[in-house]
Amino acid sequence: MTRNVVISGANRGIGLELCRRFRDRGDHVVALCRTAGAQLDRLGVQVLEGIDVTVRSSLTTLIRQVELPRVDILINNAGVLFPDRLDSLDDEGIERMRTQFDVNALGPLNLTLAMKPALATGSKVIIVTSRMGSMADNTSGGQYGYRASKAAVNMIGRSLAHDLADEGIAVSLIHPGYVRTDMTGGEGLVNADEAAGNIVDRIDWVSMDNTGQFFHANGDTLPW
């Protein structure tokens, strides 16, 4: 059965590889991005440019463009990372924290609200988060903006799971691992294609029985 899959932050890294994986499975993929690149264009999926998850007006336009009667899988993947430490939190550093909160935390909420009319029983809402949003897992400090924004989106995802439960819509918070992407400066433990494969496997497993939980893409349950 062909599924309709909507993916934000689709122009590179994990988002690009998720588009490739779902396309190869025969699903209809809608790739959302601010600006498409050559690699995304070559995939042959439906690409919608000019989508900024922090701007509600661009998401209103999105609703008109997608024209899908149903979205089976919504993947909130768009994100930003600005490394910081305590002594770097000047005015610009605090502004970068706000940007990370807008994109990483409010972005998934904005997009999910925009797509809600197309979500129905059996749909899945996926938030690509990070174990850096875990309180218990923070043993090194620093990264104030990224940690705080991911902790916030974890709470948002947990609330969405409760609020969408009566409609039969499952929500999952998935940490992809430490992935080699532009965001991490090419550092990491897994490549984007491997991380995408693990995420797809985890999405297949998501159900109402485990909605609202926080997982590593390898299947491990992560602490809040």
Side-chain angles (χ1 to χ4, degrees):
M1 180 182 70
T2 299
R3 296 170 300 179
N4 294 321
V5 183
V6 176
I7 304 170
S8 68
N11 62 317
R12 61 181 183 174
I14 296 171
L16 178 68
E17 295 304 326
L18 285 169
C19 290
R20 193 188 313 277
R21 291 272 177 169
F22 282 106
R23 180 208 63 181
D24 289 349
R25 283 167 49 136
D27 293 317
H28 175 72
V29 176
V30 181
L32 311 181
C33 57
R34 288 184 298 175
T35 305
Q39 291 185 76
L40 180 58
D41 288 337
R42 284 196 295 268
L43 288 184
V45 301
Q46 182 180 355
V47 178
L48 298 182
E49 291 187 274
I51 305 300
D52 185 334
V53 295
T54 70
V55 179
R56 298 294 291 269
S57 60
S58 82
L59 298 177
T60 301
T61 302
L62 166 65
I63 296 171
R64 293 196 298 267
Q65 289 178 311
V66 170
E67 295 182 341
L68 296 176
R70 173 188 170 95
V71 171
D72 298 290
I73 302 173
L74 172 61
I75 304 178
N76 291 282
N77 170 71
V80 293
L81 165 62
F82 300 127
D84 57 40
R85 58 186 188 277
L86 186 60
D87 59 7
S88 71
L89 293 179
D90 53 14
D91 288 347
E92 290 185 5
I94 295 296
E95 211 44 53
R96 287 191 292 270
M97 284 189 67
R98 289 194 180 95
T99 298
Q100 288 175 99
F101 188 85
D102 282 345
V103 176
N104 298 342
L106 295 182
L109 180 59
N110 287 335
L111 181 56
T112 302
L113 287 170
M115 298 307 301
K116 189 175 181 297
L119 300 174
T121 299
S123 294
K124 300 179 183 183
V125 175
I126 308 301
I127 297 174
V128 178
T129 181
S130 172
R131 70 186 307 159
M132 289 181 71
S134 165
M135 303 292 183
D137 197 57
N138 184 354
T139 60
S140 59
Q143 305 292 4
Y144 286 84
Y146 194 71
R147 288 188 188 278
S149 65
K150 291 300 186 178
V153 83
N154 285 353
M155 183 60 78
I156 286 169
R158 186 74 170 172
S159 288
L160 284 171
H162 287 296
D163 292 337
L164 297 175
D166 287 346
E167 299 177 50
I169 300 168
V171 179
S172 191
L173 296 140
I174 300 177
H175 166 63
Y178 186 22
V179 186
R180 300 182 190 97
T181 63
D182 291 343
M183 181 183 289
T184 63
E187 297 182 359
L189 300 176
V190 294
N191 292 325
D193 59 344
E194 180 182 354
N198 291 337
I199 292 171
V200 170
D201 289 343
R202 195 58 34 219
I203 291 172
D204 288 342
W205 178 76
V206 168
S207 71
M208 292 306 299
D209 292 333
N210 51 49
T211 187
Q213 296 187 31
F214 181 22
F215 294 106
H216 192 296
N218 66 13
D220 293 342
T221 300
L222 294 174
W224 297 105

